[in-house]
Structures are given as C-alpha cells and as structure tokens.
Amino acid sequence: MYTIPTLASLSYGSHGKSIADQIDRDQFEREGYFIVNDILAKDEINGAVALIDQLLPPDAQPPYVCGTGAEMNGRKALRGEHCEPRLSNLAGHPRLVEAAEMLMGSGVRICHTSCPVVTYKSPPGAEQFGTSDHVDWPHTPPEPGDETYVNCVLHFSTVEPGGGAFIVRPGSHRFVQECLDDPELREQVVAQGFKEMDGLQERRAMCVPAGSAVFSHAFMVHDRSENVLEAPRRVLFAHFARRETDEPVEDRSSAFHPDQVRSMDDRMKRLCGIPEG
C-alpha cells in the first residue's frame, strides 16, 4: 500500500502556482473565505486518499466513526479519540501553513488534532436533508480573540457540483461579529439560531480541485451539503490561531492525540505549541 511521505519531506513535492502569487488578503477579509490551490502535490493526494479509504470505507462503523448511514447522510469522520498521524500532521504542511500565515498576517498555531472526513453518496432514504447553517466557535460562548481564528478544509478529492461541497455564506463573519456586539442578538447567534435571521448572503458551494484548501474566518456561517454523486468527498479539517513571535511557550500537548504527539518533529511541535525534545 502507498505510504504518505513523512512530514519532513512534504515541502519537496511537485506543486503548482506559488502561495504568494495566489493570496489576496483583502478578499479574505472582505468575503471571510479564500481558496488556495496546489497545496498538495499529486503523490501527497494519492497517499492521503489511500489512508482515508482504508480508515473510513463506506461500511465503516463505530467506535472509529462518528455518524453512520442515514444519520449523517453518508458523512463519516474519524472520531477524536482515534488518530492517524500521517493525516493529522498534514495540518502542518509547509504550503498550508504558509497560506494560513499570509491570510492571517501573523504566525500561526495549530489548535488541536485534525480529523479526516469523507462524504459518500447519501444512502437511500436519507436524501434531501435540511440546511443547518452554523458557526464552529473556537470557544462556547465566544471569547475575546476568537475573531482572529481561521478554519481550513484541505481537499484530497475534486468536488463537483452535487458532490457534498462545503457551503459558505460570504461576508457572514462580519454579520456574526455585529450580532455578538448586540446584547439582543448575541444569545441567538451563539445558540446557532441563523435560520430565523435575515441579513445573510446566498449560500455558496466550494467546488474545488483536489489539493486545494478552503480557509474561512472562525465566525463564518457555513454548512455541509448532500453528496448525490458516486465520487466520495475526502477532506481534512484544520484549525489555526494567531501565534505571536514573543508568545510564551506553554505545553499544549493535551490538545493533541498522544499518537500524533509522538509522531511530531520539532517543527510540528512548535506549530502546535508543544515543547521540543
């Protein structure tokens, strides 16, 4: 079976357009999301796909999987108490980190172990599920500084229309911030009550090529969508926070799966806020 390259070798793959040539920070701040292509090289994509297909096949069941069958409409995710470091460590891919740093305008810290997710075609009887617009709060309730966090969906598969794309509401991060500043609306948005709210732009599906990453503001209102195609959608969710150069080092090992910590090199430990050595 194909073995994904080690983290130390990931920067040597054959990639496309440079990160610097793609980044438009003004667009990211205005829209609340940004797509960066060519994060992963072809061999890195192939390696990740092989691992995901091994870990999360169509018939995967608990305890390794959360959400099965009709419950999650074909969506299967590796549970947090399990880990595949060769996938989770891709959150530290040099090109992914470079893109995150350029969009955030600072150094970055990986927040916790990243989890792979695959969305298969919805099983019979589970089609046409309802929308569920929500925000992945860094903390609940939100804390000062949460507005600086950035989430990321790293794609190992090309997503065509109808293929279970990640859905965003452009500009909704500003709408959410305004609601959080309003005592009458704050409770409603923290409780994810977006269905009853006006002011959100139309939903936009992130149909992107394999190897790309969709970065989104932590306050972005988003949703999952149904996969009506035969091709599975394979992704990795990663979460980044700002890291200042003079930030004191504290041991954040507890935020990461022990298997991942044992697999980390010194560079990955620095990215995660874990003492080296």
Side-chain angles (χ1 to χ4, degrees):
M1 177 164 296
Y2 185 94
T3 300
I4 198 168
T6 62
L7 185 65
S9 70
L10 288 175
S11 60
Y12 299 109
S14 176
H15 300 89
K17 193 174 182 181
S18 74
I19 300 299
D21 287 342
Q22 297 185 60
I23 297 297
D24 185 340
R25 193 176 173 196
D26 289 339
Q27 180 182 333
F28 177 65
E29 293 181 352
R30 181 177 65 254
E31 298 289 325
Y33 77 94
F34 195 81
I35 300 168
V36 182
N37 295 315
D38 301 317
I39 294 291
L40 301 177
K42 186 175 181 179
D43 60 340
E44 296 164 351
I45 295 170
N46 291 341
V49 167
L51 282 169
I52 290 175
D53 288 352
Q54 176 186 352
L55 290 166
L56 299 172
D59 59 351
Q61 298 293 328
Y64 300 105
V65 173
C66 55
T68 59
E71 179 187 354
M72 291 294 287
N73 306 87
R75 185 179 189 271
K76 297 179 183 292
L78 194 64
R79 293 178 65 92
E81 61 264 35
H82 303 283
C83 177
E84 171 42 71
R86 288 171 293 179
L87 290 172
S88 294
N89 282 341
L90 283 171
H93 190 292
R95 287 175 65 85
L96 191 70
V97 171
E98 180 184 359
E101 290 181 336
M102 294 189 71
L103 288 171
M104 296 172 74
S106 69
V108 300
R109 172 170 54 79
I110 300 170
C111 297
H112 50 74
T113 293
S114 300
C115 297
V117 174
V118 57
T119 305
Y120 292 99
K121 183 178 181 180
S122 291
E127 303 90 347
Q128 303 300 323
F129 59 86
T131 60
S132 182
D133 286 338
H134 63 282
V135 170
D136 292 334
W137 302 112
H139 302 93
T140 305
E143 299 178 359
D146 282 2
E147 71 280 358
T148 67
Y149 283 60
V150 166
N151 301 326
C152 174
V153 188
L154 180 62
H155 287 71
F156 307 117
S157 305
T158 295
V159 181
E160 303 288 351
F166 180 62
I167 303 292
V168 301
R169 295 273 198 171
S172 58
H173 60 305
R174 298 194 304 274
F175 173 84
V176 169
Q177 183 65 72
E178 291 171 0
C179 291
L180 288 174
D181 293 339
D182 185 328
E184 295 184 7
L185 295 175
R186 179 181 176 88
E187 184 176 348
Q188 186 173 356
V189 297
V190 171
Q192 310 284 13
F194 297 104
K195 266 188 178 177
E196 299 77 28
M197 303 185 77
D198 297 322
L200 293 172
Q201 292 190 37
E202 291 296 317
R203 296 153 59 89
R204 189 174 299 175
M206 297 291 97
C207 295
V208 299
S212 63
V214 179
F215 291 89
S216 60
H217 189 283
F219 291 172
M220 169 66 69
V221 178
H222 62 279
D223 195 7
R224 61 191 177 94
S225 64
E226 182 182 11
N227 186 359
V228 300
L229 308 179
E230 297 297 334
R233 165 188 172 262
R234 307 173 185 89
V235 298
L236 184 79
F237 288 94
H239 304 270
F240 298 98
R242 289 185 185 275
R243 178 184 57 80
E244 304 302 334
T245 54
D246 58 350
E247 181 179 299
V249 177
E250 56 180 286
D251 192 346
R252 300 186 64 257
S253 300
S254 61
F256 297 85
H257 193 284
D259 288 348
Q260 186 184 9
V261 175
R262 284 190 287 269
S263 74
M264 292 179 183
D265 58 17
D266 285 345
R267 174 184 171 276
M268 189 67 177
K269 287 181 178 179
R270 288 195 296 273
L271 283 169
C272 296
I274 297 173
E276 300 172 31

